[in-house]
Amino acid sequence: MESKSFILSSAGLKNIVINDNEDFIIILGEQEIKINKIFAEFISPKISQLHQIDPTINYLKLDD
């Protein structure tokens, strides 16, 4: 049996069409960081897991 493989890289992110209405907010104390929802899922496995449970979640609050 012949196996096939492919390589994933972050370079493909430049081809994503970004909708400005899909921001995700990371709250660190009093500071808010806005990032596109797709990029937030890419950089954080926790955010990706949250969106698998509830895709309407649009913020993550991290307390000290």
Side-chain angles (χ1 to χ4, degrees):
M1 185 170 153
E2 181 182 333
S3 68
K4 296 182 180 181
S5 64
F6 62 94
I7 299 172
L8 295 176
S9 77
S10 60
L13 290 174
K14 67 182 178 183
N15 299 322
I16 295 174
V17 176
I18 298 177
N19 182 348
D20 291 335
N21 297 330
E22 295 183 359
D23 281 340
F24 189 86
I25 301 170
I26 301 170
I27 303 169
L28 301 167
E30 295 182 17
Q31 188 174 16
E32 292 185 359
I33 301 169
K34 288 186 181 180
I35 187 171
N36 183 273
K37 183 178 178 178
I38 293 172
F39 294 150
E41 287 189 24
F42 182 77
I43 63 171
S44 172
K46 180 66 176 176
I47 294 171
S48 180
Q49 290 171 351
L50 287 172
H51 281 149
Q52 287 177 6
I53 296 167
D54 182 359
T56 63
I57 293 173
N58 61 0
Y59 74 93
L60 176 63
K61 186 173 184 177
L62 303 172
D63 294 325
D64 296 325

